[in-house]
Amino acid sequence: MSDADIFVQSLANRIRAMNIIWERAISDMTLEQVNHHEREGVLPIAFSFSHYMRAQDQSISVVFRKEPPLWISGGWAAKVGVSVDTLGREETVEEMQHLKFADLDAWKAYQSEVIARTSATLETIDAPMLAEVVMAQLPPNMQNIFCGIVVGPGNPIRKLEVLECFVYQHGLRHMGEIEHGRALVGLRGMTS
């Protein structure tokens, strides 16, 4: 196995493992716990689920599969009954702190579809594919995000960065929020 093959396999395995943790995180939560809003100026747990899973959906669906996100094509906003139907990257905490789900079973079904699509896509990746450029550079308003720091100003975004930054690192970051949120509603962490 070449070094490139080992790296691709490792990246795919890390994303799969992270998504198992996302599945565990939602499996024992109630709607009240997911919608818990600690206090003014703090995002609810539902925000972290919605923001990240929709970002994973967009990254995999649009960049790798050249398809609309499942969120759009499946009409999941209406099924989940999300109170704020936006990704939450440009919006303020004051706007996004009101995000809630009405139907937790619908959310779980959406999340499962996203993870299944990601898993199927990971079966198709290889080193040459990950080297493909998808964006000449990040727009100015995204230069200070993690991926902007990783690639540096004026550099292209490849499919590799989409997986490493927008799927893997992003997912771990928001899982940390969910683990903290779970503690606030009396639940345990995901890996201990």
Side-chain angles (χ1 to χ4, degrees), residues 111-178:
Q111 181 173 307
S112 290
E113 282 194 29
V114 171
I115 290 171
R117 179 173 271 188
T118 298
S119 294
T121 301
L122 291 173
E123 294 297 320
T124 70
I125 64 173
D126 58 23
M129 177 193 290
L130 293 181
E132 293 173 17
V133 172
V134 297
M135 185 183 299
Q137 64 181 7
L138 288 170
N141 66 327
M142 293 178 74
Q143 290 296 316
N144 201 33
I145 68 171
F146 179 78
C147 193
I149 296 166
V150 167
V151 300
N155 292 316
I157 305 299
R158 300 165 296 174
K159 286 184 176 179
L160 173 60
E161 282 80 36
V162 172
L163 287 181
E164 279 280 9
C165 298
F166 295 117
V167 176
Y168 183 63
Q169 176 278 331
H170 193 207
L172 291 179
R173 174 181 172 218
H174 288 291
M175 180 48 61
E177 295 168 352
I178 287 173

